[in-house]
Amino acid sequence: MAQKSFFLVLEGIDGSGTSTHSNLLKGFLESKGFKVHLTVEPSESDIGKLVRKYLKDRNVPPTTDALLFAADRDFHYQNEIKEKLSEGYIVISDRYIESSIVYQSLQSDEISIDWVKIINKFAGKADLTIILDIDPKISLARKTSENLEKFEYISFLDKVRNLYLSRAKEEDYFIINTNDIIEFVQQKIQEIVLDKLKEKGFIIKNHK
Ligand code: TYD
């Protein structure tokens, strides 16, 4: 019989805390006895490295960005995520398809959400997506201004935030406000994840 698998994704605007909370969640799930694989997009592959370089380059056409993010994801899913899931790991991805749906569709009027979905259609679906929500004025204040990437400015991130929120409504994603103390936010994430794992038939140590 195939191993039980679980694929969860944390999403949110720049500075919303996806990396911090992915790491904390990994530690928590490991303490409950699960094998956990934490990964990130843009990925560590050569395609991911090119995508990261382009995050500093305002001359890359948005359509090229969208296609490269999709290629990075396809490679990431086929070569890494799928394999880890089949080995019985819980996979946590810090960003996934929803980042492309939101950021790339807002980069240009030429890019529709449907097209982004099509170019990402071979990357498997997540079992759970959680949106970390925060006001960009607060999230950007956590960054140093000299290293800002091309999407990191308030008027764009306001649109990104609003689209994440409306996508969450449409797709029934969980939304957690991250303008709170880290431990409190992490606890809320853990509760949602444990509930979903139970629903999927996972047995959880020391849990009612
Ligand atoms: P981020 O996740 O903030 O990583 P870091 O803290 O290392 O800079 O940056 C990734 C940026 O890439 C972020 O602005 C969102 C953007 N992005 C997209 O536009 N589309 C995508 O599909 C993904 C995965 C990321």
Side-chain angles (χ1 to χ4, degrees):
M1 204 177 81
Q3 298 235 37
K4 231 196 263 292
S5 67
F6 194 76
F7 178 22
L8 75 101
V9 173
L10 294 188
E11 288 277 357
I13 66 164
D14 295 78
S16 58
T18 55
S19 309
T20 307
H21 285 292
S22 299
N23 273 292
L24 291 170
L25 186 61
K26 176 178 193 276
F28 170 75
L29 290 172
E30 283 173 343
S31 78
K32 293 275 174 197
F34 293 109
K35 293 196 294 183
V36 182
H37 179 71
L38 173 59
T39 188
V40 63
E41 289 193 354
S43 79
E44 308 292 337
S45 73
D46 287 344
I47 313 173
K49 286 187 185 122
L50 180 63
V51 171
R52 279 204 184 272
K53 187 170 135 210
Y54 283 0
L55 285 171
K56 304 274 183 200
D57 185 343
R58 285 170 175 75
N59 295 317
V60 179
T63 41
T64 305
D65 264 344
L67 290 163
L68 284 176
F69 277 116
D72 180 41
R73 178 162 306 115
D74 198 63
F75 190 82
H76 187 204
Y77 180 78
Q78 309 297 343
N79 281 8
E80 180 180 330
I81 297 174
K82 198 162 80 176
E83 201 174 298
K84 290 291 176 188
L85 289 171
S86 73
E87 291 168 3
Y89 282 82
I90 291 180
V91 176
I92 304 174
S93 189
D94 174 355
R95 298 192 176 281
Y96 196 57
I97 297 182
E98 209 56 45
S99 282
S100 284
I101 290 182
V102 171
Y103 281 79
Q104 275 58 67
S105 77
L106 289 171
Q107 253 189 294
S108 155
D109 290 341
E110 278 180 332
I111 299 180
S112 70
I113 289 180
D114 283 343
W115 180 68
V116 178
K117 284 183 181 166
I118 289 168
I119 59 174
N120 281 279
K121 77 176 216 179
F122 297 110
K125 292 235 174 333
D127 296 296
L128 172 66
T129 299
I130 300 176
I131 313 286
L132 304 185
D133 181 50
I134 191 161
D135 187 326
K137 284 193 215 68
I138 300 168
S139 73
L140 282 188
R142 296 171 178 171
K143 305 224 165 200
T144 45
S145 55
E146 22 347 319
N147 283 324
L148 292 181
E149 290 164 347
K150 67 184 173 196
F151 302 136
E152 296 179 322
Y153 58 98
I154 287 178
S155 57
F156 184 70
L157 290 183
D158 263 330
K159 290 189 200 154
V160 170
R161 181 191 192 192
N162 288 334
L163 189 51
Y164 266 130
L165 294 178
S166 68
R167 290 279 308 152
K169 261 201 195 134
E170 237 168 80
E171 301 287 337
D172 251 344
Y173 298 146
F174 289 87
I175 302 169
I176 296 185
N177 188 284
T178 53
N179 187 23
D180 227 323
I181 52 168
I182 287 184
E183 291 75 10
F184 188 64
V185 172
Q186 176 60 205
Q187 200 185 337
K188 284 197 203 161
I189 296 173
Q190 290 170 3
E191 280 164 16
I192 293 171
V193 172
L194 289 182
D195 277 354
K196 273 278 165 194
L197 286 171
K198 271 200 288 182
E199 217 178 279
K200 274 216 133 197
F202 284 81
I203 296 169
I204 294 151
K205 268 204 279 180
N206 312 321
H207 196 70
K208 291 170 261 155

